[in-house]
Amino acid sequence: MAGQPNRYEKFLILIPVYEDWKALELLLPLLDQELIAHSLKADILIVDDGSSEFNFLPEKQKCFRSVETIEILSLRRNVGHQRAIAVGLSYLEANQPCYSVVVMDCDGEDNPSDVPRLIAECRAHQDQKIIFAARTKRSANLSFKTFYHLYRLIHFLLTGIQVQVGNFSVIPASALRRLVAVSELWNHYAAAVYKAKLPMALIPAQRNCRLEGSSRMSLVALVVHGLSAMAVFGDRIGVRLLILVSIGMSLVSVALITVVGIRLLTTLAIPGWATYVTGILLVILIQMLIIVLVFAFVILTGRNTVSIIPSRDYVHIADGVRRIYDSNQ
């Protein structure tokens, strides 16, 4: 059938992990079962994002049929979820550049049964598009859902882009080569794909519950994650805010002219009123002018700043790779 994976077709799976080894142990057998059911083969790269402990079962206690190798890329320090993905993608592009890469979380919220669907959709597009799993429903509490929808609204108002996807996706080899040269990848994977205007498509996928424990991400980490996504579109946000401030300056200027006109040309003004209102409007106008100048300065300075290129700089973060499972041994 067109668009279906070929028998024993091989690809790579990238999984960032921070202190979540138990969930990973539960995820891998489920993932192997889905690969077996669809006659797929995969190598897995686990990016250890500076975990304080390594609690993963040794090779002899694992017996996979479709997972051929499992390697762990250790990082010298904790750099965060998104940067761990950037390092992992850069490592794979440098060492195994001919394979498609599936990016997924280790906690089980990315359903293993969706991996074959992502691969099939990628093949249907002749391996020319990055395929993301679009979130249709989240398994989370009410407070998280409320703040998440608020974040999506703010993100859309500031950038004009709707938040529909996370990390769960498949990247064909041709797109991976381009992606690792995108400096914004260091801040946020999905936002970097949008910013670089790489070809992409979406398939609907429901988020699962965690396989074990609770999320390791604190409220601060979640806020930083959201801000990192918006930071990728800093130039677009800056322009939108400049337009908004410019409109505000125009309205304040009109109000200022109106107040002066009422004071000088009519007898409607209350004594002292015009001076008081004029002073307030001038203060507002000066503040808006300062905001415009600061925005312009920040944007111009940012364009002259040397950026991190993941494919070039990942070696300074990576701390070696070790193979913990090999089906041929």
Side-chain angles (χ1 to χ4, degrees):
M1 184 182 297
Q4 291 297 318
N6 297 324
R7 183 168 177 79
Y8 301 129
E9 187 172 14
K10 184 177 177 179
F11 58 97
L12 308 173
I13 301 177
L14 172 65
I15 306 177
V17 178
Y18 178 67
E19 311 285 14
D20 226 349
W21 302 108
K22 182 60 179 177
L24 179 64
E25 289 177 9
L26 297 174
L27 172 68
L28 293 184
L30 299 176
L31 187 56
D32 187 59
Q33 292 173 13
E34 292 296 334
L35 298 181
I36 293 171
H38 292 82
S39 299
L40 294 168
K41 297 289 185 180
D43 290 338
I44 295 179
L45 178 68
I46 299 167
V47 181
D48 178 10
D49 187 20
S51 299
S52 59
E53 296 182 359
F54 179 72
N55 298 318
F56 196 65
L57 292 178
E59 173 186 344
K60 65 181 181 180
Q61 294 179 256
K62 295 292 182 182
C63 183
F64 299 116
R65 292 170 54 190
S66 285
V67 174
E68 295 189 335
T69 65
I70 300 176
E71 294 182 329
I72 294 185
L73 172 62
S74 298
L75 305 187
R76 296 184 180 183
R77 54 157 294 183
N78 176 259
V79 295
H81 195 255
Q82 295 301 307
R83 292 179 177 178
I85 291 175
V87 173
L89 290 176
S90 299
Y91 171 83
L92 290 176
E93 194 278 331
N95 293 276
Q96 301 188 58
C98 299
Y99 294 101
S100 298
V101 179
V102 170
V103 180
M104 64 186 303
D105 294 337
C106 70
D107 55 15
E109 290 190 8
D110 295 334
N111 195 333
S113 65
D114 289 325
V115 172
R117 295 177 57 227
L118 288 169
I119 294 294
E121 187 69 15
C122 188
R123 299 299 180 256
H125 289 278
Q126 289 78 47
D127 291 335
Q128 296 301 310
K129 291 186 177 182
I130 299 174
I131 310 299
F132 279 96
R135 297 164 176 165
T136 57
K137 185 178 180 181
R138 299 188 66 102
S139 299
N141 56 46
L142 180 59
S143 61
F144 182 90
K145 290 181 179 180
T146 301
F147 283 109
Y148 177 69
H149 287 300
L150 178 61
Y151 162 71
R152 291 183 60 184
L153 176 61
I154 295 174
H155 188 284
F156 177 73
L157 292 176
L158 291 177
T159 67
I161 297 174
Q162 290 185 343
V163 177
Q164 296 178 287
V165 303
N167 301 317
F168 196 21
S169 60
V170 57
I171 311 169
S174 58
L176 179 61
R177 185 173 182 274
R178 298 173 59 187
L179 179 61
V180 295
V182 177
S183 60
E184 289 84 1
L185 178 62
W186 191 244
N187 281 333
H188 198 280
Y189 160 53
V193 174
Y194 277 90
K195 181 65 180 292
K197 299 179 180 179
L198 296 176
M200 59 175 291
L202 309 180
I203 63 171
Q206 182 174 326
R207 297 275 284 183
N208 282 351
C209 297
R210 285 181 57 88
L211 292 173
E212 189 273 338
S214 57
S215 175
R216 300 301 195 275
M217 291 189 72
S218 64
L219 176 60
V220 173
L222 287 171
V223 172
V224 170
H225 177 71
L227 292 177
S228 296
M230 290 191 287
V232 170
F233 303 100
D235 52 352
R236 181 179 298 194
I237 293 174
V239 170
R240 286 182 170 232
L241 291 178
L242 281 175
I243 293 174
L244 181 62
V245 172
S246 297
I247 293 173
M249 291 177 63
S250 299
L251 294 176
V252 171
S253 297
V254 171
L256 187 60
I257 293 173
T258 301
V259 170
V260 173
I262 292 174
R263 176 65 180 83
L264 298 179
L265 302 179
T266 71
T267 58
L268 300 176
I270 300 173
W273 169 82
T275 303
Y276 181 74
V277 174
T278 299
I280 293 176
L281 292 175
L282 283 174
V283 170
I284 295 175
L285 188 62
I286 293 172
Q287 289 178 336
M288 289 184 172
L289 180 60
I290 292 174
I291 291 174
V292 169
L293 293 175
V294 170
F295 273 145
F297 178 77
V298 169
I299 291 174
L300 292 175
T301 301
R303 297 183 68 88
N304 292 324
T305 302
V306 177
S307 301
I308 291 178
I309 305 298
S311 61
R312 177 193 65 196
D313 299 321
Y314 83 94
V315 294
H316 302 296
I317 303 297
D319 193 30
V321 176
R322 65 185 184 276
R323 180 164 295 186
I324 62 171
Y325 176 81
D326 192 332
S327 61
N328 297 320
Q329 294 181 358

